[in-house]
C-alpha cells in the first residue's frame, strides 16, 4: 500500500522487464535501419565429416544496424548462425588498426573463411577464419570503440522461428567525449553513493522478509568505508532509514532529490545500489545499468559489473543501457547496480549476510578503481 510500495513495485517491474528482455534482444523494440543479411559462403556438402562431431559449424553470418530509441543508441549487430552451443571472448587490438577480435571456441567456419563488407558507421569489415577447432572473427572498427561498447552473448535455437543457435556481437556507437578528465587512483575522488529506497519506501521485500532498503544502506556503508580508506571523499544520498525528498513523495521528486545530492557535491561518479526482484522465484544474478550520456557511463558499468561478479561469484547477468532516472539525469558517469535477487530465497539470505555485503562492496570498489585506471590510461 502507499506510494512508497507502488514506487518500489514500479522500480522492480522496470528492472524485471528489462532483465527478461535482455537475453532475447532480438525481440526488443529495436528498429532496424538497414536489414541486409549477407550470407557467408557456404561450402559444397561434404560427404565425410571434416571435423570431429563435437566441433560446431558457423553456417552463416549476417549484420544489421539497430536503433534502441529508449536509450538513444545505434548499434551494429553481427549474428552468427551456429550448429550448436559455442563460447566466445573478445579483445580490442589496436595495432596496426583498431579491431575487435572475437575468439569463438569449438566452432569452425562451415563454408571456409569468409568476409563481410559493413557500412562503415561503426565497423568497415569483418573477416572469419578457422584456427584448428576454433574460429576468429576480426571486425575492423571505424571509431573510438572500447570494450565496454561491445556485448557478446548467445541465443538458444528457436524452432518456432526456424532459428538455430546464434552467437551475437553488438557494438554500440561510442558516446561523445564530454570533456571529463580522470586521474588514476581513488585519492580525492568525489563519489556519491545512493542506497536505493528508504524511509516510507521499503523497496522489494524477500520471501524471508528482508527489505531492500536495509541491504542497500548496509552495502553503501561498506563501499563508503572502503573508498574512504583509499582517500576518496564519499557522500551518501541518505545515511539512515529515510526518504531523501520526504515521506511518500512522488517518484520523480524522490529520485531528483538523489540526483541533486550528486550535483551539489560535484561528484566524479554516482553509484545507486539496489537489489533486484522478479515474479520468478528462481531468477538470480548480478546486473548493472547505465545511461549513455558521457563517454564513460558504459565503462563504469562494465568495470563495476566485472568487479561484483568476480567478488560475489553470482550469475553474471551483464550490464545494460537503461532509462533509469538517477543514471540519466546525473551529469557525471553513473550506474545503478542490482546486487542480487532479493526475491530468490538463496540470494535473499546472501544479501542479508554481513560478509556477503562486504564482499559485494569490495567488488564495487575494485570496479571503481579499475575505472579510474582505464580512463586515465585512455588519456595517454
Ligand atoms: Zn530497487
Amino acid at each position: 500500500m502507499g506510494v512508497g510500495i507502488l514506487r518500489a513495485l514500479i522500480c522492480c517491474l522496470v528492472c524485471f522487464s528489462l532483465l527478461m528482455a535482455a537475453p532475447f534482444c532480438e525481440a526488443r523494440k529495436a528498429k532496424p535501419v538497414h536489414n541486409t543479411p549477407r550470407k557467408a559462403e557456404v561450402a559444397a556438402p561434404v560427404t565425410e565429416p571434416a571435423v570431429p562431431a563435437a566441433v560446431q559449424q558457423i553456417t552463416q553470418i549476417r549484420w544489421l544496424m539497430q536503433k534502441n530509441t529508449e536509450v538513444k543508441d545505434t548499434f551494429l549487430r553481427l549474428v552468427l548462425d551456429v550448429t550448436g552451443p559455442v563460447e566466445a571472448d573478445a579483445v580490442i587490438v589496436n595495432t596496426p588498426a583498431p579491431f575487435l577480435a572475437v575468439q569463438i571456441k569449438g566452432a569452425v567456419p562451415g563454408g571456409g573463411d569468409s568476409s563481410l563488407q559493413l557500412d562503415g558507421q561503426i565497423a568497415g569489415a569483418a573477416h572469419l577464419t578457422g584456427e584448428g577447432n576454433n574460429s576468429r572473427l576480426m571486425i575492423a572498427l571505424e571509431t573510438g570503440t572500447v570494450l565496454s561498447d561491445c556485448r557478446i552473448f548467445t541465443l538458444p535455437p528457436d524452432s518456432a522461428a526456424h532459428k538455430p543457435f546464434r552467437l551475437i556481437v553488438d557494438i554500440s556507437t561510442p558516446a561523445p567525449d564530454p570533456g571529463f578528465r580522470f586521474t588514476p587512483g581513488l585519492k580525492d575522488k568525489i563519489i556519491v553513493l545512493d542506497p536505493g529506497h528508504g524511509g516510507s519506501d521499503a523497496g522489494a521485500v524477500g520471501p524471508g522478509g528482508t527489505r531492500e532498503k536495509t541491504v542497500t544502506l548496509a552495502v553503501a556503508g561498506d563501499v563508503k568505508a572502503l573508498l574512504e580508506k583509499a582517500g576518496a571523499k564519499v557522500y551518501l544520498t541518505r545515511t539512515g532509514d529515510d526518504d531523501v525528498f520526504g515521506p511518500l513523495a512522488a517518484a520523480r521528486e524522490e529520485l531528483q532529490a538523489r540526483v541533486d545530492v550528486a550535483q551539489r557535491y560535484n561528484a566524479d561518479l554516482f553509484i545507486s545500489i539496489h537489489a533486484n526482484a522478479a515474479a520468478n522465484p528462481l531468477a538470480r544474478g548480478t546486473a548493472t545499468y547505465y545511461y549513455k550520456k558521457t563517454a564513460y557511463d558504459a565503462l563504469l558499468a562494465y568495470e563495476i559489473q566485472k568487479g561484483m561478479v568476480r567478488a560475489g561469484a553470482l550469475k553474471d547477468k551483464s550490464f545494460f543501457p537503461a532509462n533509469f532516472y538517477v543514471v540519466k539525469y546525473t551529469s557525471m558517469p553513473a550506474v545503478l547496480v542490482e546486487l542480487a535477487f532479493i526475491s530468490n530465497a538463496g540470494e535473499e539470505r546472501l544479501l542479508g549476510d554481513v560478509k556477503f555485503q562486504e564482499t559485494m562492496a569490495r567488488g564495487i570498489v575494485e570496479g571503481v578503481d579499475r575505472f579510474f585506471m582505464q580512463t586515465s590510461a585512455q588519456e595517454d
Side-chain angles (χ1 to χ4, degrees):
M1 298 287 281
V3 178
I5 289 171
L6 183 66
R7 196 164 65 210
L9 200 69
I10 290 166
C11 163
C12 296
L13 286 175
V14 169
C15 298
F16 176 59
S17 59
L18 235 148
L19 286 167
M20 291 309 289
F24 307 101
C25 287
E26 289 191 335
R28 274 196 316 208
K29 266 188 259 163
K31 283 186 197 155
V33 177
H34 306 296
N35 195 346
T36 48
R38 311 276 174 101
K39 270 194 180 174
E41 287 169 32
V42 177
V46 283
T47 46
E48 282 177 8
V51 289
V55 176
Q56 308 298 339
Q57 298 208 355
I58 299 162
T59 55
Q60 183 176 242
I61 311 178
R62 53 191 188 279
W63 68 277
L64 59 154
M65 294 299 292
Q66 289 202 311
K67 248 187 192 153
N68 184 337
T69 46
E70 194 193 342
V71 292
K72 293 194 183 67
D73 189 19
T74 301
F75 62 95
L76 164 67
R77 168 163 292 183
L78 287 152
V79 183
L80 285 72
D81 288 346
V82 193
T83 51
V86 289
E87 279 178 35
D89 239 327
V91 289
I92 288 193
V93 185
N94 275 309
T95 44
F99 278 95
L100 179 70
V102 184
Q103 285 294 137
I104 305 160
K105 288 166 222 149
V108 295
D113 297 353
S114 58
S115 294
L116 281 182
Q117 193 65 43
L118 308 173
D119 70 355
Q121 279 187 67
I122 290 174
H127 188 65
L128 181 72
T129 49
E131 293 175 339
N133 288 342
N134 306 316
S135 296
R136 176 193 286 235
L137 179 65
M138 293 292 280
I139 303 163
L141 301 167
E142 292 290 324
T143 46
T145 305
V146 291
L147 207 50
S148 53
D149 294 319
C150 310
R151 189 172 9 256
I152 296 170
F153 57 97
T154 55
L155 291 172
D158 180 347
S159 52
H162 303 288
K163 287 184 172 170
F165 193 95
R166 283 146 294 156
L167 175 68
I168 312 289
V169 180
D170 283 348
I171 308 174
S172 294
T173 314
D177 183 350
F180 284 99
R181 292 290 175 268
F182 294 114
T183 51
L186 295 167
K187 195 168 181 318
D188 296 329
K189 294 293 176 352
I190 302 169
I191 296 168
V192 167
L193 304 174
D194 174 38
H197 313 280
S200 63
D201 171 14
V205 180
T210 309
R211 291 161 162 226
E212 182 183 355
K213 66 174 181 179
T214 314
V215 174
T216 60
L217 186 62
V219 173
D222 292 339
V223 174
K224 181 176 195 282
L226 288 168
L227 285 172
E228 283 178 342
K229 223 165 114 186
K233 296 189 181 75
V234 184
Y235 304 96
L236 267 59
T237 55
R238 65 178 177 98
T239 52
D241 182 13
D242 306 308
D243 298 87
V244 177
F245 182 85
L248 304 174
R252 193 189 164 88
E253 288 169 330
E254 177 63 22
L255 296 172
Q256 183 60 43
R258 291 164 194 256
V259 169
D260 289 344
V261 176
Q263 299 304 129
R264 194 182 325 134
Y265 287 110
N266 197 18
D268 291 307
L269 302 180
F270 175 87
I271 302 169
S272 187
I273 300 171
H274 286 253
N276 221 330
N280 175 3
L282 299 178
R284 64 191 175 90
T286 302
T288 303
Y289 297 92
Y290 65 96
Y291 186 86
K292 200 167 172 175
K293 59 186 190 282
T294 81
Y296 300 113
D297 293 84
L299 179 64
L300 182 64
Y302 169 81
E303 291 296 354
I304 287 185
Q305 173 68 10
K306 211 165 64 173
M308 287 194 298
V309 168
R310 200 180 287 162
L314 298 184
K315 182 180 173 189
D316 184 357
K317 290 190 75 76
S318 195
F319 63 107
F320 299 98
N323 209 3
F324 292 152
Y325 194 95
V326 292
V327 292
K328 185 172 178 180
Y329 292 105
T330 38
S331 62
M332 68 293 303
V335 294
L336 186 151
V337 304
E338 299 277 12
L339 302 164
F341 278 77
I342 204 164
S343 50
N344 173 310
E347 293 198 349
E348 179 192 17
R349 269 193 298 279
L350 284 173
L351 286 167
D353 179 76
V354 172
K355 276 265 167 308
F356 184 77
Q357 291 169 354
E358 286 168 0
T359 301
M360 291 305 273
R362 211 173 50 244
I364 292 171
V365 172
E366 276 167 16
V368 172
D369 195 23
R370 290 267 318 156
F371 170 81
F372 285 122
M373 223 147 43
Q374 298 286 322
T375 48
S376 47
Q378 279 176 20
E379 300 301 319
D380 296 337

